[in-house]
Amino acid sequence: MLELAGIRVDAISIGGLRTCIQLPGMNLAFDMGCCPPSSVSRRTVLFTHAHTDHMASVVLHCATRDLTGMKPPHYVIPPENAEAFGELFAVWRRLDRSSLPCSIHPVGPRGEFPLSKGLIARPVRAYHRVAAQGYVISQRKKKLKAQWQGKSHTEIRDARLSGVEITDSVESIEVAFTGDSRIEILDKNPEMYKAKLLMMEVTFIDEKVPVERARSQGHIHLDEVIARADRFENEAILFTHLSARYDARRAEEVIQARLPEHLASRVTLLHPPT
Ligand SMILES: [Zn+2]
Ligand SMILES: [Zn+2]
């Protein structure tokens, strides 16, 4: 379990093989390309796209929750996948002769999905080989209006009791996740550069796979991150989805050596489980 910018992250992500990134404190997971036992208790799953390494274990997630008496899960999916996703469950219900209860929520860019504790998930368009989306998770909080700051507790309480609106609703961006995408997802959604924790795929890291090939496959190359090094305002950045062709320890050395220090110090490379 990692803790980045004060947020707990329990993640597995290997390019082309499997991705499931859990945020236990928010009771959610991104993608279900594998179904580790801890992920079964995450009631909401935000799916980025339908490649099997991101979605293929969803039926197991649903069935295991049902078997262990947990409430039906919420699956947020790109709207383009809604019909086939529903058919997938219909087929598995026939095969498994079970009800596989779940709520399916097609939500795309410009839509939003409310989470617990005042958190909101908003999909953003991703640029991949199939319909794909990343997510920005914001926290909505109430903040005392400027004119009430510095006033006594009694004054504020009396104003509130007499029906005066003393707070504004403010939002902070807690987490952004790219899913599988070309780097454009960051440039077109610059709020991702400001999230407390940015989780981004960096599938390729050196000249063995050049930038153009990474782009043609709908992925991010480390060179493209370096070219934008000064734009990242995030407290912490997690690199996910490293291609299985790399040795993670070696990749970590390459990443730390190639990134400028002010960025390298905030970057963690997700290692495959040992
Ligand atoms: Zn992938
Ligand atoms: Zn993919």
Side-chain angles (χ1 to χ4, degrees), residues 46-195:
L46 306 173
F47 285 96
T48 61
H49 65 299
H51 276 152
T52 49
D53 57 317
H54 294 259
M55 198 182 266
S57 294
V58 63
V59 177
L60 193 56
H61 178 262
C62 184
T64 313
R65 282 187 66 89
D66 192 31
L67 187 74
T68 50
M70 295 185 197
K71 289 183 181 151
H74 295 290
Y75 295 136
V76 177
I77 56 165
E80 296 89 337
N81 297 140
E83 195 181 338
F85 194 86
E87 286 168 9
L88 172 82
F89 269 89
V91 167
W92 270 108
R93 285 180 186 115
R94 277 170 53 210
L95 288 169
D96 196 52
R97 297 190 192 285
S98 64
S99 60
L100 293 172
C102 61
S103 303
I104 299 170
H105 308 270
V107 185
R110 289 185 297 281
E112 59 179 47
F113 186 79
L115 303 163
S116 57
K117 304 179 199 165
L119 293 160
I120 307 149
R122 293 193 178 94
V124 294
R125 191 188 159 203
Y127 302 82
H128 195 41
R129 305 193 302 280
V130 295
Q133 58 195 30
Y135 290 89
V136 171
I137 312 277
S138 300
Q139 171 98 63
R140 197 173 280 160
K141 277 187 188 153
K142 289 198 179 302
K143 189 176 169 225
L144 203 58
K145 284 179 189 282
Q147 66 264 37
W148 290 99
Q149 283 170 22
K151 297 261 164 78
S152 74
H153 280 305
T154 324
E155 276 180 290
I156 292 169
R157 191 199 57 202
D158 290 349
R160 184 164 47 82
L161 291 175
S162 68
V164 176
E165 189 53 73
I166 55 164
T167 55
D168 287 323
S169 183
V170 290
E171 280 191 16
S172 59
I173 304 175
E174 299 293 302
V175 178
F177 177 48
T178 61
D180 284 10
S181 180
R182 294 200 309 267
I183 192 91
E184 281 88 326
I185 190 172
L186 297 183
D187 298 336
K188 302 218 178 200
N189 301 284
E191 70 272 25
M192 297 181 100
Y193 285 116
K194 297 174 191 293

